[in-house]
Amino acid sequence: MPNIPFIQLLTSTGGSWVIYLLFFLSVLALAVIIERSIIIIRQSKYQIDTLPLLMEKLEEGPPKEILKSLRPDSILYRTAKELVDHASKGFLSLERHLESRMSLEKRYLEKHVVILGTLGNNAPFIGLLGTVLGVIRAFHDLGASAGQGPEVVMQGISEALVATAVGILVALPCVAFYNFLQKRIKDTMVDADRFGKQLIAIFESENGGKKDG
């Protein structure tokens, strides 16, 4: 084997450190899952419960009054306030403000979710790296312990394969929750956008179809 410090380091450490790395990443993923699930599901549930009532209130009174019945930390409140504050600027301006608000809210909901997608795609490869390093160490130990038979390398390989299994175990829930949260985000943004467009339509009718400010 070439006398290269990096290769010697790999053969001496094996893939055990990869297990610790994957454990840290799993804790990070769990924190993201809990934090994002609470925020996204709360926003989604609030919109599902509130939107039918809002449609009735929009038909009964002026749109500005709807802010009083919305939760200040909700996407619906921030969307309504954005449009109410710029209602006098005309239809085209309201559309631009709605588009900008939807982009900001989507970014808010998707915060840290990319971590789950990244781990879902790459955790198995990190585990595979640990397995490869473990196999390298197993064969190195076999060469250094002549006469002890294949048991030395087989034990090392079996331990190395654990890294791949751990990588897959980390990736599976990350992929599942990534897809789940992305679907919730998409549905939440569709509902919020629909609500915003209904508000714009009401403002447009009140302003007599004014197209720009």
PDB file of all heavy atoms in Angstrom, residues 109-124:
ATOM      1  N   LEU A 109     -42.537  28.959   4.438  1.00  0.00           N
ATOM      2  CA  LEU A 109     -42.957  27.589   4.722  1.00  0.00           C
ATOM      3  C   LEU A 109     -41.882  26.571   4.367  1.00  0.00           C
ATOM      4  O   LEU A 109     -41.746  25.541   5.033  1.00  0.00           O
ATOM      5  CB  LEU A 109     -44.245  27.262   3.961  1.00  0.00           C
ATOM      6  CG  LEU A 109     -45.509  28.007   4.401  1.00  0.00           C
ATOM      7  CD1 LEU A 109     -46.696  27.597   3.517  1.00  0.00           C
ATOM      8  CD2 LEU A 109     -45.836  27.745   5.865  1.00  0.00           C
ATOM      9  N   GLU A 110     -41.116  26.841   3.327  1.00  0.00           N
ATOM     10  CA  GLU A 110     -40.117  25.881   2.859  1.00  0.00           C
ATOM     11  C   GLU A 110     -38.782  26.003   3.590  1.00  0.00           C
ATOM     12  O   GLU A 110     -37.852  25.256   3.298  1.00  0.00           O
ATOM     13  CB  GLU A 110     -39.878  26.061   1.358  1.00  0.00           C
ATOM     14  CG  GLU A 110     -41.039  25.601   0.497  1.00  0.00           C
ATOM     15  CD  GLU A 110     -40.747  25.748  -0.983  1.00  0.00           C
ATOM     16  OE1 GLU A 110     -39.867  26.573  -1.337  1.00  0.00           O
ATOM     17  OE2 GLU A 110     -41.391  25.058  -1.785  1.00  0.00           O
ATOM     18  N   LYS A 111     -38.691  26.926   4.548  1.00  0.00           N
ATOM     19  CA  LYS A 111     -37.443  27.124   5.281  1.00  0.00           C
ATOM     20  C   LYS A 111     -36.993  25.825   5.937  1.00  0.00           C
ATOM     21  O   LYS A 111     -37.766  25.173   6.631  1.00  0.00           O
ATOM     22  CB  LYS A 111     -37.649  28.211   6.344  1.00  0.00           C
ATOM     23  CG  LYS A 111     -36.389  28.577   7.101  1.00  0.00           C
ATOM     24  CD  LYS A 111     -36.688  29.672   8.112  1.00  0.00           C
ATOM     25  CE  LYS A 111     -35.447  30.059   8.893  1.00  0.00           C
ATOM     26  NZ  LYS A 111     -35.747  31.112   9.906  1.00  0.00           N
ATOM     27  N   HIS A 112     -35.775  25.426   5.692  1.00  0.00           N
ATOM     28  CA  HIS A 112     -35.125  24.221   6.245  1.00  0.00           C
ATOM     29  C   HIS A 112     -35.636  22.912   5.625  1.00  0.00           C
ATOM     30  O   HIS A 112     -35.035  21.861   5.890  1.00  0.00           O
ATOM     31  CB  HIS A 112     -35.303  24.127   7.764  1.00  0.00           C
ATOM     32  CG  HIS A 112     -34.792  25.311   8.519  1.00  0.00           C
ATOM     33  ND1 HIS A 112     -33.591  25.913   8.232  1.00  0.00           N
ATOM     34  CD2 HIS A 112     -35.321  26.020   9.558  1.00  0.00           C
ATOM     35  CE1 HIS A 112     -33.387  26.927   9.046  1.00  0.00           C
ATOM     36  NE2 HIS A 112     -34.418  27.027   9.861  1.00  0.00           N
ATOM     37  N   VAL A 113     -36.715  22.954   4.848  1.00  0.00           N
ATOM     38  CA  VAL A 113     -37.231  21.701   4.264  1.00  0.00           C
ATOM     39  C   VAL A 113     -36.214  21.099   3.292  1.00  0.00           C
ATOM     40  O   VAL A 113     -36.156  19.878   3.120  1.00  0.00           O
ATOM     41  CB  VAL A 113     -38.586  21.945   3.561  1.00  0.00           C
ATOM     42  CG1 VAL A 113     -39.069  20.692   2.838  1.00  0.00           C
ATOM     43  CG2 VAL A 113     -39.634  22.379   4.579  1.00  0.00           C
ATOM     44  N   VAL A 114     -35.404  21.959   2.682  1.00  0.00           N
ATOM     45  CA  VAL A 114     -34.386  21.468   1.747  1.00  0.00           C
ATOM     46  C   VAL A 114     -33.414  20.518   2.439  1.00  0.00           C
ATOM     47  O   VAL A 114     -32.825  19.637   1.792  1.00  0.00           O
ATOM     48  CB  VAL A 114     -33.629  22.663   1.116  1.00  0.00           C
ATOM     49  CG1 VAL A 114     -32.806  23.398   2.161  1.00  0.00           C
ATOM     50  CG2 VAL A 114     -32.741  22.197  -0.021  1.00  0.00           C
ATOM     51  N   ILE A 115     -33.249  20.672   3.757  1.00  0.00           N
ATOM     52  CA  ILE A 115     -32.367  19.764   4.497  1.00  0.00           C
ATOM     53  C   ILE A 115     -32.874  18.329   4.387  1.00  0.00           C
ATOM     54  O   ILE A 115     -32.089  17.384   4.222  1.00  0.00           O
ATOM     55  CB  ILE A 115     -32.267  20.199   5.971  1.00  0.00           C
ATOM     56  CG1 ILE A 115     -31.570  21.554   6.073  1.00  0.00           C
ATOM     57  CG2 ILE A 115     -31.523  19.152   6.803  1.00  0.00           C
ATOM     58  CD1 ILE A 115     -31.516  22.111   7.483  1.00  0.00           C
ATOM     59  N   LEU A 116     -34.187  18.153   4.482  1.00  0.00           N
ATOM     60  CA  LEU A 116     -34.760  16.805   4.379  1.00  0.00           C
ATOM     61  C   LEU A 116     -34.548  16.223   2.993  1.00  0.00           C
ATOM     62  O   LEU A 116     -34.223  15.035   2.848  1.00  0.00           O
ATOM     63  CB  LEU A 116     -36.257  16.851   4.711  1.00  0.00           C
ATOM     64  CG  LEU A 116     -36.628  17.324   6.110  1.00  0.00           C
ATOM     65  CD1 LEU A 116     -38.141  17.293   6.298  1.00  0.00           C
ATOM     66  CD2 LEU A 116     -35.947  16.480   7.172  1.00  0.00           C
ATOM     67  N   GLY A 117     -34.747  17.057   1.971  1.00  0.00           N
ATOM     68  CA  GLY A 117     -34.525  16.573   0.609  1.00  0.00           C
ATOM     69  C   GLY A 117     -33.073  16.192   0.370  1.00  0.00           C
ATOM     70  O   GLY A 117     -32.782  15.164  -0.262  1.00  0.00           O
ATOM     71  N   THR A 118     -32.166  16.999   0.905  1.00  0.00           N
ATOM     72  CA  THR A 118     -30.737  16.718   0.730  1.00  0.00           C
ATOM     73  C   THR A 118     -30.332  15.431   1.448  1.00  0.00           C
ATOM     74  O   THR A 118     -29.619  14.589   0.882  1.00  0.00           O
ATOM     75  CB  THR A 118     -29.907  17.898   1.267  1.00  0.00           C
ATOM     76  OG1 THR A 118     -30.268  19.095   0.565  1.00  0.00           O
ATOM     77  CG2 THR A 118     -28.419  17.634   1.069  1.00  0.00           C
ATOM     78  N   LEU A 119     -30.798  15.272   2.688  1.00  0.00           N
ATOM     79  CA  LEU A 119     -30.458  14.057   3.433  1.00  0.00           C
ATOM     80  C   LEU A 119     -31.120  12.830   2.808  1.00  0.00           C
ATOM     81  O   LEU A 119     -30.527  11.743   2.783  1.00  0.00           O
ATOM     82  CB  LEU A 119     -30.888  14.196   4.887  1.00  0.00           C
ATOM     83  CG  LEU A 119     -30.068  15.176   5.736  1.00  0.00           C
ATOM     84  CD1 LEU A 119     -30.608  15.222   7.160  1.00  0.00           C
ATOM     85  CD2 LEU A 119     -28.603  14.762   5.750  1.00  0.00           C
ATOM     86  N   GLY A 120     -32.343  12.986   2.327  1.00  0.00           N
ATOM     87  CA  GLY A 120     -33.016  11.859   1.691  1.00  0.00           C
ATOM     88  C   GLY A 120     -32.270  11.350   0.478  1.00  0.00           C
ATOM     89  O   GLY A 120     -32.228  10.144   0.207  1.00  0.00           O
ATOM     90  N   ASN A 121     -31.638  12.272  -0.255  1.00  0.00           N
ATOM     91  CA  ASN A 121     -30.907  11.878  -1.459  1.00  0.00           C
ATOM     92  C   ASN A 121     -29.495  11.384  -1.165  1.00  0.00           C
ATOM     93  O   ASN A 121     -28.960  10.551  -1.910  1.00  0.00           O
ATOM     94  CB  ASN A 121     -30.829  13.067  -2.433  1.00  0.00           C
ATOM     95  CG  ASN A 121     -32.160  13.378  -3.077  1.00  0.00           C
ATOM     96  OD1 ASN A 121     -32.971  12.486  -3.304  1.00  0.00           O
ATOM     97  ND2 ASN A 121     -32.411  14.648  -3.355  1.00  0.00           N
ATOM     98  N   ASN A 122     -28.886  11.902  -0.096  1.00  0.00           N
ATOM     99  CA  ASN A 122     -27.455  11.667   0.101  1.00  0.00           C
ATOM    100  C   ASN A 122     -27.091  10.795   1.295  1.00  0.00           C
ATOM    101  O   ASN A 122     -25.961  10.297   1.355  1.00  0.00           O
ATOM    102  CB  ASN A 122     -26.735  13.015   0.237  1.00  0.00           C
ATOM    103  CG  ASN A 122     -26.772  13.821  -1.041  1.00  0.00           C
ATOM    104  OD1 ASN A 122     -26.084  13.520  -2.010  1.00  0.00           O
ATOM    105  ND2 ASN A 122     -27.588  14.866  -1.063  1.00  0.00           N
ATOM    106  N   ALA A 123     -28.003  10.605   2.252  1.00  0.00           N
ATOM    107  CA  ALA A 123     -27.675   9.771   3.411  1.00  0.00           C
ATOM    108  C   ALA A 123     -27.247   8.349   3.017  1.00  0.00           C
ATOM    109  O   ALA A 123     -26.294   7.814   3.605  1.00  0.00           O
ATOM    110  CB  ALA A 123     -28.858   9.738   4.382  1.00  0.00           C
ATOM    111  N   PRO A 124     -27.916   7.701   2.039  1.00  0.00           N
ATOM    112  CA  PRO A 124     -27.444   6.356   1.654  1.00  0.00           C
ATOM    113  C   PRO A 124     -26.014   6.364   1.115  1.00  0.00           C
ATOM    114  O   PRO A 124     -25.256   5.422   1.352  1.00  0.00           O
ATOM    115  CB  PRO A 124     -28.433   5.930   0.559  1.00  0.00           C
ATOM    116  CG  PRO A 124     -29.677   6.718   0.845  1.00  0.00           C
ATOM    117  CD  PRO A 124     -29.178   8.040   1.339  1.00  0.00           C
TER     118      PRO A 124
END
